[in-house]
Amino acid sequence: MTTLLVQHCHTLVTMDAERREIADGALLIRDHIIEQVGTTDELPQTADDVLDLRGRHVVLPGLVNTHHHFFQSLTRAVPAAQNCDLFNWLTSLYPLWANLTAEGIYLSTQMAAAELMLSGCTTASDHLYLYPNDCTLDDAIQAAQDIGLRFHASRGSMSVGQSKGGLPPDTLVEREADILSDSLRLIEQYHDPSRHAMTRMTLAPCSPFSVSQDLMRESAAMARSHPQVRLHTHLAENQSDVDYSLATFGMRPGDYAESVGWLGADVWHAHCVQLSDDAIAKFGRTGTGVAHCPCSNMRLASGIAPIRKMLNHKVPVGLGVDGAASNDATNLLHEARMAMLLARVGSCDASVMSARDVLELATLGGARVLGRDDIGALVPGHSADFIAINCDRPSLSGVHDIVAALIFCQTDSVDYSFINGKKVVDHGQLTTVDLPRLVEQVNHYAQTMMDKPV
C-alpha cells in the first residue's frame, strides 16, 4: 500500500457532517482510501507521494454525474434536431443512432468521460438504451475502465416501437426476453456491490413511451434480487411525456411509476420537470431520487424542474448533464452553475438556491442518488475521489468567497483530479488518454455516421 499527502490547500471543502471548509487543509490517503483530513499542520508531513498545493487551490470531493447518454457525444448540434422539443428531437435522431457500432460506443464513452473528468466529475452514471448493429454495454464499460472513471453502467432498453404505440422505430427496439437475459449477464459479469466499487450496474428501461409495464416490473424484480443494483429511467420530462402517460396508462407519471414498483430508495428518475406535487411528496416519503438536468431541460424547452420543492420534501436530488446531443456540452461544473441560476429565475427568488446548495447536489446529493456512502465527501474511510481547482485564473480574480465563486463564476475545468487514489488529471491534462487523438477519432467517426444512409 502507498500513501499520498495533499497539503497546503487554500480551502479544503470536506462536505462532512459539519460541512467544514478547512483553511490550509490537507488529506492523507492510503492506497485508494482517505485516512486523515485536517489542517496541514495536523497531518503527517511526509508520505510516499506529496502534492503541495500552496497558493490558491480549492480542493473538493469529486463531482457525481447522475444522468447521461455517452453515445450522444457523436451527434451534437445536428441541424434537424437543433430547434425541437423532446419527442421531435428524438425522432430526428433515432435514424442517426441506428448507425452506431461498437467502435462508436467505445469512442463516445471515452469522449464523454474525458469531458466529465476535466470538469471535476469522478463518478458518472451512463444510460445506454439502444443497441443497433454490434453494440453492447460491454463496450462502454471497457472504455470507462480504460480511462479510469468510476462508472455506474445503466443497461437501458426499448421494447415498444412505433407499431405498438411507442415513439422509437421498430428497428431500434429489442425483445423483452433478450433485454432481461442480457441484463442478468451484465450483472453477473460486471457488477461490484462492494464498498469503493469502480463498476456497478443499473437496470434502466428507457421511458414510459418506449417500454412496457411488464418490462418495468420484471426489471425491478431482477434488480432487487441482487445487492446494490439500482433502477433508473426517464420520467415526466415534459408535457408531452405527461400526456402520453395519461393517454396510454390512464395515470400521471408519478402514479405510473408507483404502479410498476418504481418508487423506493433504490430508484432514481431523470428530469421530473413536470412531476406533480403529489408525486413529489411520494418521492420524498419513499426516498425515490431525481437526476436534475437543467441545461437539457432548457435546450429542449421542457420547463424548469421544481428542485427546491423536491428538496423541501426530502427528495434525494443529484445533477446530471444528460446527453451531449441535448445539452450540448458535458461539463459538470457548468451544469452546477446552471442549476443555481435556473432555480432562481424559475422562482423569481435569488435566495432559493445558493452556491453551496448546488455543490451539495453535485457531491453528496449525487452520491445518495446512486446509493453510495463512500463518495461525495472528504472524510476518513471514503474513496479517494477529489479535485483541485487553482483559483489564480482570470475568471476567478477579485472574488471574496472562493468556494461560492466556483459556482457563481465561470469555472471551466479542474487542475487536478484523483479517482480511487489515482491521478487522472494533472495540471489540467488528462493522464489516461491521448485527448487530441481521441478528438480526431470521434470527429472522423461522427462524420462517418452522418454519411451513412438513414
Side-chain angles (χ1 to χ4, degrees):
M1 299 178 76
T2 61
T3 54
L4 167 67
L5 176 65
V6 183
Q7 59 182 193
H8 294 300
C9 314
H10 179 282
T11 306
L12 180 68
V13 181
T14 65
M15 286 295 171
D16 65 7
E18 291 78 37
R19 303 299 188 265
R20 288 183 302 158
E21 297 175 4
I22 302 172
D24 194 24
L27 294 169
L28 181 66
I29 291 143
R30 190 173 300 276
D31 198 11
H32 61 279
I33 299 171
I34 298 170
E35 188 171 275
Q36 294 184 50
V37 180
T39 66
T40 296
D41 288 344
E42 291 171 337
L43 266 62
Q45 300 302 299
T46 60
D48 296 319
D49 291 300
V50 177
L51 178 61
D52 191 319
L53 293 177
R54 70 182 71 233
R56 281 167 51 83
H57 286 84
V58 176
V59 172
L60 305 146
L63 308 184
V64 181
N65 178 31
T66 63
H67 184 67
H68 207 137
H69 307 290
F70 284 6
F71 72 90
Q72 292 181 14
S73 298
L74 298 164
T75 52
R76 303 184 213 239
V78 172
Q82 288 177 13
N83 303 310
C84 297
D85 61 10
L86 174 63
F87 281 15
N88 289 312
W89 174 85
L90 283 167
T91 54
S92 295
L93 290 172
Y94 282 141
L96 274 179
W97 295 337
N99 292 329
L100 274 169
T101 63
E103 179 188 10
I105 297 298
Y106 185 92
L107 291 174
S108 58
T109 298
Q110 288 225 314
M111 189 74 259
E115 289 186 85
L116 285 170
M117 291 158 70
L118 287 169
S119 69
C121 178
T122 55
T123 299
S125 172
D126 176 42
H127 188 187
L128 180 58
Y129 55 79
L130 43 75
Y131 298 89
N133 307 309
D134 59 346
C135 296
T136 66
L137 191 55
D138 305 66
D139 307 310
I141 293 170
Q142 185 64 56
Q145 290 176 344
D146 289 347
I147 203 170
L149 180 68
R150 195 180 297 276
F151 194 49
H152 284 233
S154 296
R155 206 304 180 179
S157 54
M158 300 192 297
S159 64
V160 178
Q162 290 174 350
S163 65
K164 296 181 179 179
L167 192 69
D170 290 352
T171 54
L172 280 179
V173 302
E174 301 173 87
R175 293 176 60 249
E176 294 190 353
D178 294 338
I179 292 166
L180 293 167
S181 174
D182 193 50
S183 297
L184 181 60
R185 175 190 70 83
L186 289 162
I187 292 170
E188 293 175 342
Q189 185 169 344
Y190 295 108
H191 180 65
D192 182 357
S194 66
R195 191 170 172 81
H196 311 296
M198 287 293 290
T199 305
R200 283 190 180 167
M201 289 299 309
T202 298
L203 298 189
C206 184
S207 62
F209 51 82
S210 61
V211 300
S212 73
Q213 291 167 288
D214 284 345
L215 183 61
M216 295 290 284
R217 294 189 183 99
E218 292 183 48
S219 296
M222 180 181 291
R224 288 167 177 153
S225 68
H226 296 84
Q228 299 293 346
V229 176
R230 298 176 75 76
L231 294 164
H232 182 52
T233 192
H234 298 85
L235 195 75
E237 186 168 352
N238 71 354
Q239 189 57 48
S240 296
D241 197 353
V242 175
D243 293 343
Y244 180 92
S245 186
L246 287 168
T248 307
F249 310 117
M251 58 188 97
R252 297 185 65 84
D255 297 324
Y256 164 80
E258 183 177 32
S259 74
V260 292
W262 276 63
L263 297 184
D266 59 347
V267 183
W268 85 102
H269 297 274
H271 304 296
C272 296
V273 175
Q274 305 293 342
L275 203 61
S276 68
D277 288 351
D278 177 65
I280 289 172
K282 286 180 181 178
F283 275 39
R285 289 195 298 270
T286 58
T288 306
V290 170
H292 177 40
C293 307
C295 288
S296 176
N297 297 158
M298 289 187 280
R299 160 74 153 81
L300 298 176
S302 298
I304 301 174
I307 298 304
R308 173 47 62 191
K309 184 180 292 185
M310 293 179 189
L311 294 174
N312 291 345
H313 280 85
K314 310 301 182 185
V315 176
V317 179
L319 295 183
V321 300
D322 205 3
S326 68
N327 187 311
D328 289 26
T330 306
N331 188 306
L332 201 49
L333 283 167
H334 290 182
E335 203 72 31
R337 183 171 188 258
M338 284 299 173
M340 180 185 75
L341 298 178
L342 191 59
R344 293 180 176 205
V345 75
S347 62
C348 295
D349 180 356
S351 67
V352 73
M353 187 74 67
S354 72
R356 284 174 174 80
D357 289 339
V358 171
L359 282 174
E360 185 154 334
L361 294 183
T363 53
L364 288 171
R368 184 183 176 193
V369 163
L370 295 185
R372 306 289 301 233
D373 62 0
D374 53 358
I375 60 172
L378 301 180
V379 297
H382 271 44
S383 302
D385 291 8
F386 63 95
I387 57 177
I389 298 169
N390 185 351
C391 295
D392 282 332
R393 58 177 78 188
S395 64
L396 294 174
S397 61
V399 303
H400 297 265
D401 181 341
I402 200 167
V403 176
L406 299 178
I407 301 300
F408 273 102
C409 305
Q410 184 83 353
T411 309
D412 293 320
S413 60
V414 301
D415 293 274
Y416 296 94
S417 177
F418 287 75
I419 301 178
N420 213 39
K422 179 181 179 181
K423 187 190 294 181
V424 296
V425 177
D426 185 10
H427 290 89
Q429 302 297 313
L430 279 167
T431 65
T432 55
V433 71
D434 180 347
L435 190 55
R437 173 62 176 153
L438 179 59
V439 170
E440 179 184 348
Q441 290 174 308
V442 167
N443 284 336
H444 175 75
Y445 187 93
Q447 187 58 54
T448 300
M449 281 183 66
M450 292 293 292
D451 290 342
K452 288 181 179 178
V454 295

